[in-house]
Amino acid sequence: MSTFTIRLATTNDAESIRAIYNHYVTHSTCTYQIELETAEERVAWFGERSERYPATVAETDGQVIGWAALSPWKSRCGYAWAAEASVYIHHEHHRRGLGKALLLDLIERAKAAGLHTIIGGASSDQTASLALQYAVGFKLMGTFREVGRKFDRWLDVTHTQMVLQ
Ligand SMILES: CC(C)(COP(=O)(O)OP(=O)(O)OC[C@H]1O[C@@H](n2cnc3c(N)ncnc32)[C@H](O)[C@@H]1OP(=O)(O)O)[C@@H](O)C(=O)NCCC(=O)NCCS
């Protein structure tokens, strides 16, 4: 694979981002979304992005093969310095350093935007997701038992966190 670059996402990337994500909606517990995301929902998601809550993409040869984003962790004003991270790599491009590069880039953007902490986490069966978070320095916070349900089974959720500054 040729090298990749990371840049801020634009609405022109909405369909690429949606395609990467919807693969996991159908096949994985890494998202508990069950219905495929619509084009309108992803466009609306762009309206929630800002310097504090950016979306980024990794691309190679003009093709978007991964994306990442920060979102508000909770909506109350007092949570304004905490964000939640998401990273999704196209399922044919795993283990090439994309996820780590996107997450490290997101951490730097979070620091620059004045955020204080990033919340991570994943369905507890998502080894890759949690391993990536630990690899960049997130710490284990705890596990909620059977708070999710997908593919006819109860799922635990493990939470992680990184304090930035
Ligand atoms: C989790 C995910 C983003 C990792 O992306 P990736 O580009 O494949 O990961 P990287 O190549 O950057 O891996 C970085 C490190 O993470 C860890 N890691 C990644 N995938 C792993 C796996 N399948 N098993 C164990 N460790 C893994 C390793 O420590 C790895 O370092 P190494 O390759 O030097 O051993 C990717 O698997 C993915 O998109 N999964 C589905 C979506 C998801 O779970 N997103 C997380 C929700 S926030």
Side-chain angles (χ1 to χ4, degrees), residues 33 36 41 53 70 76 92 115 117-118 156:
Q33 184 160 340
L36 290 175
E41 286 168 337
Y53 304 118
L70 291 174
R76 300 273 187 232
E92 292 171 349
L115 285 165
T117 182
I118 303 178
D156 298 344

Side-chain angles (χ1 to χ4, degrees), residues 24 30 85-90 93-101 121-122 126-129 131-133 135:
Y24 297 108
C30 68
S86 303
V87 183
Y88 288 86
I89 306 304
H90 188 287
H93 293 277
H94 285 182
R95 292 315 280 271
R96 297 176 182 182
L98 288 159
K100 187 172 185 178
Q126 289 295 318
T127 313
S129 174
L132 168 61
Q133 292 167 45

Side-chain angles (χ1 to χ4, degrees), residues 3-164:
T3 55
F4 57 88
T5 54
I6 295 176
R7 60 167 172 79
L8 282 175
T10 75
T11 48
N12 291 335
D13 303 310
E15 280 304 297
S16 303
I17 289 173
R18 190 168 76 95
I20 291 169
Y21 180 69
N22 271 341
H23 169 85
Y24 297 108
V25 171
T26 302
H27 297 288
S28 173
T29 57
C30 68
T31 169
Y32 288 174
Q33 184 160 340
I34 290 166
E35 301 283 330
L36 290 175
E37 183 183 78
T38 65
E40 293 72 22
E41 286 168 337
R42 185 54 69 174
V43 169
W45 177 84
F46 268 97
E48 297 159 9
R49 309 273 66 81
S50 61
E51 189 188 353
R52 209 174 183 84
Y53 304 118
T56 55
V57 292
E59 69 179 353
T60 184
D61 299 330
Q63 187 194 355
V64 170
I65 51 175
W67 62 273
L70 291 174
S71 306
W73 185 51
K74 288 181 183 285
S75 59
R76 300 273 187 232
C77 293
Y79 289 113
W81 292 267
E84 189 170 23
S86 303
V87 183
Y88 288 86
I89 306 304
H90 188 287
H91 61 280
E92 292 171 349
H93 293 277
H94 285 182
R95 292 315 280 271
R96 297 176 182 182
L98 288 159
K100 187 172 185 178
L102 277 165
L103 190 51
L104 287 172
D105 174 80
L106 213 51
I107 290 165
E108 291 310 310
R109 290 178 194 272
K111 287 179 183 169
L115 285 165
H116 183 65
T117 182
I118 303 178
I119 312 295
S123 190
S124 303
D125 59 340
Q126 289 295 318
T127 313
S129 174
L130 291 167
L132 168 61
Q133 292 167 45
Y134 299 139
V136 301
F138 281 73
K139 304 293 182 209
L140 173 65
M141 289 294 115
T143 297
F144 287 109
R145 299 289 171 205
E146 301 187 353
V147 289
R149 190 169 177 87
K150 191 171 181 182
F151 305 137
D152 288 328
R153 56 194 172 92
W154 293 112
L155 297 161
D156 298 344
V157 172
T158 296
H159 282 276
T160 67
Q161 182 180 15
M162 174 183 280
V163 176
L164 301 171

